[in-house]
Amino acid sequence: MNAMVFSDGPLRNWPEDTRQHFPTGTKLRDAIEMLEEKHAPIKHLFGAGLGFQLMRIESDMIIEVTTYLAQAGITALPLHDAVLVAESKADFAARAMQAHFERGTASPGAIVSTVFWQS
């Protein structure tokens, strides 16, 4: 899917180190059709070369969330598409992430989960 989002045009070959993750004999066209079916609402974006733009939007959102948490006195470490916070602040951080996602995308579709690690 990432290759399809970053690609400027339809995929013509399997992305490197990808074929082995599909059942033997799966054709690229079949894999593309499965992904398009699974992600139908955004399939029109596949092949549009939007990968880096989407990465920038995600980065801007996580910076906004981290800044908001800092202003609220919560120490947060951004980690890709997540923030690491104290367990006692997890619900606050999850609500902040959800709110920033909804404001930035006009969509309620964020998946926010909390995971706790013990050291």
Side-chain angles (χ1 to χ4, degrees), residues 64-102:
E64 288 178 17
V65 169
T66 305
T67 301
Y68 175 80
L69 293 172
Q71 291 170 345
I74 298 172
T75 301
L77 176 66
L79 180 63
H80 183 50
D81 58 356
V83 290
L84 300 176
V85 298
E87 185 175 341
S88 62
K89 305 299 183 187
D91 288 338
F92 186 92
R95 286 192 304 275
M97 289 183 74
Q98 182 70 36
H100 279 80
F101 180 88
E102 288 177 7

Side-chain angles (χ1 to χ4, degrees), residues 19-62:
R19 184 184 299 224
Q20 72 270 18
H21 297 289
F22 290 84
T24 302
T26 303
K27 304 227 181 302
L28 177 60
R29 182 73 235 148
D30 296 334
I32 290 170
E33 287 175 5
M34 287 187 296
L35 287 165
E36 288 176 340
E37 182 179 325
K38 176 73 175 172
H39 301 286
I42 63 167
K43 75 178 187 178
H44 65 284
L45 300 175
F46 296 159
L50 296 175
F52 288 112
Q53 289 173 293
L54 295 173
M55 285 176 63
R56 175 60 193 262
I57 291 167
E58 178 184 54
S59 176
D60 289 346
M61 291 172 106
I62 208 69

Side-chain angles (χ1 to χ4, degrees), residues 1-7 11 15 35 46-47 50-51 54-55 80:
M1 185 174 145
N2 278 339
M4 292 168 60
V5 171
F6 278 88
S7 176
L11 291 183
L35 287 165
F46 296 159
L50 296 175
L54 295 173
M55 285 176 63
H80 183 50

